[in-house]
Amino acid sequence: MFPKPRRIAVRWIVPLFLVLTSTAHAHMTVEGAGELGNGALHPWMTPSHVLVFLALALLLGQREPLDLKIPVRVFTPVSAIALGLTATGRIGGVYQPVLIGLAMCLGILIGLAAKLPRVVLVLLCAAAAMGIGLDSGVENVPGFAMAKILLGTWLSLNAAVLYIAICASNGAGKPWAKTGIRIIGSWIIAISLMVLAFSLRK
């Protein structure tokens, strides 16, 4: 039904994520960005994190009428707690198939345009925040620098979820926009399957 968008996803988006998956690890550093900047860039440079927060934001934005108060009140503190836990050095990250599986589930819900109870959305927000946060640990970095990196990650992650959800909500009442969001959900599923297969091969 939507052959052209799917071809674009397979030809361009999937290979891009596969390339990024092979190079993304811990906190990649961008020269000149500083600790705060590198922290802010980290969620965008880790494919599994992008898939999860993008899918979560689109799912929240699909809900009519848009209500981000409770989801944000859950996502914001849980992501802060998870990032704080990584500072202990006892958490080495999250098994990638778990994060990718979460993204896949979120993509399915987007594709179905499922009307979920608020409690389910809250649980999904908590799972996404905890998963991304615990997978964003920093190694071999002094305490103050680590704090700035984690702060950058926290600010960027929360801003991304909030902004994308608000953008997605602008499609309310527009059939073409709703269909587009559902197509993106199907892309997330396809990309998640490809990234999952790649991660299991490693």
Side-chain angles (χ1 to χ4, degrees):
M1 187 176 179
F2 303 102
K4 189 173 181 180
R6 291 183 185 277
R7 285 201 299 269
I8 293 172
V10 172
R11 290 181 183 178
W12 298 104
I13 300 175
V14 173
L16 174 62
F17 270 82
L18 291 177
V19 169
L20 288 174
T21 302
S22 65
T23 58
H25 61 281
H27 267 273
M28 296 177 65
T29 58
V30 177
E31 189 175 352
E35 290 90 354
L36 195 65
N38 273 292
L41 289 171
H42 176 65
W44 298 91
M45 299 178 71
T46 309
S48 58
H49 296 190
V50 176
L51 289 170
V52 171
F53 77 67
L54 174 61
L56 177 67
L58 291 175
L59 185 64
L60 293 175
Q62 269 187 328
R63 188 177 177 88
E64 296 180 26
L66 180 67
D67 182 8
L68 294 177
K69 286 184 179 179
I70 294 179
V72 167
R73 287 175 183 173
V74 172
F75 190 86
T76 298
V78 172
S79 59
I81 292 169
L83 286 166
L85 290 173
T86 65
T88 64
R90 297 178 181 177
I91 299 173
V94 176
Y95 187 47
Q96 289 304 294
V98 172
L99 280 177
I100 298 167
L102 175 59
M104 196 182 308
C105 291
L106 292 168
I108 291 171
L109 293 173
I110 294 169
L112 295 173
K115 294 183 178 180
L116 302 173
R118 182 175 293 178
V119 64
V120 176
L121 284 175
V122 167
L123 291 174
L124 289 172
C125 286
M130 187 63 68
I132 296 175
L134 293 178
D135 197 51
S136 299
V138 186
E139 299 177 358
N140 303 319
V141 176
F144 185 62
M146 179 187 295
K148 289 199 289 184
I149 291 173
L150 295 179
L151 176 61
T153 299
W154 181 77
L155 290 172
S156 175
L157 181 59
N158 282 271
V161 170
L162 185 62
Y163 180 74
I164 295 170
I166 292 172
C167 289
S169 73
N170 290 331
K174 301 172 184 175
W176 64 268
K178 291 182 178 180
T179 301
I181 290 173
R182 294 179 69 179
I183 292 173
I184 296 173
S186 70
W187 287 357
I188 291 172
I189 298 168
I191 295 168
S192 295
L193 286 170
M194 298 289 287
V195 176
L196 179 62
F198 185 85
S199 67
L200 291 175
R201 279 187 61 190
K202 294 174 68 176

